[in-house]
Amino acid sequence: MDIYKFIEENITDQSCFFEVGSHFGIDTAKIIKFTSNIHCFEPDLRNIEIFKKLGLSVVLNQIAISNIDGYAEFYLSSGNVYESKYGPTNNEILNRNDWSASSSLKLPKNHKIVTPWVKFENNINVQTKRIDTYCLEKNIEKIDFIWMDVQGAEMDVIQGMGNMKNKIHFIYTEYSDNELYENQPTKDQIIENLGNDWRLVFDFGGDILLENKKFMKI
């Protein structure tokens, strides 16, 4: 399955799209072709500065989505991709010695073993907000699609959905069963905590697409 093709076929320009963990906006630039109603969430100022250079017409929030409204410690990733067995990448922006794609609200655990070239040497405090709180503030009644890349904090995001969980149609999220971050949920735990109304549409291996079966009945 091609996730971008799926999005193109299942949302319209009027659809409400949340991108939780937007990084540089690389995926955002592809998604905006299908809908202009995109709310992006990215707490790392390094990424925000690069994102803004794309000039995309989206709602860009410098906050982390979580299960509390307040502030939390955020573990900043760094490191030189040239030191990895994967690098360099074919993306010039990513080929720098300040790797910012692995930052998380969760304390790194097996990540340090799997990818030792990724460093976690600095922490900052970032603003956090629940999805249900954000939707109340923005008068958002439903979310057609959530693209979630939160580096082990998936359960916090789900807990922060509150009653909005019933008003979300699709969730596309990264997962790992290797506990790269402390208390990172497995694929099965993510599905279980969403509840019986949700079904697995497709497992990409590292990412899953989920659907709320009752969304159209709301």
Side-chain angles (χ1 to χ4, degrees), residues 160-192:
M161 292 175 181
N163 291 332
M164 279 302 298
K165 184 176 70 173
N166 302 321
K167 302 176 183 179
I168 300 167
H169 194 179
F170 294 104
I171 295 176
Y172 174 72
T173 179
E174 187 179 46
Y175 74 87
S176 174
D177 294 340
N178 190 22
E179 199 176 5
L180 300 177
Y181 302 86
E182 284 193 0
N183 300 316
Q184 178 175 17
T186 64
K187 176 184 69 175
D188 290 342
Q189 288 172 333
I190 291 173
I191 297 172
E192 179 182 354

Side-chain angles (χ1 to χ4, degrees), residues 33 66 74 99 102 109 115-116 134 145 190:
K33 299 175 183 177
S66 187
F74 192 67
W99 180 262
S102 300
K109 188 177 179 181
T115 52
Y134 181 86
F145 201 107
I190 291 173

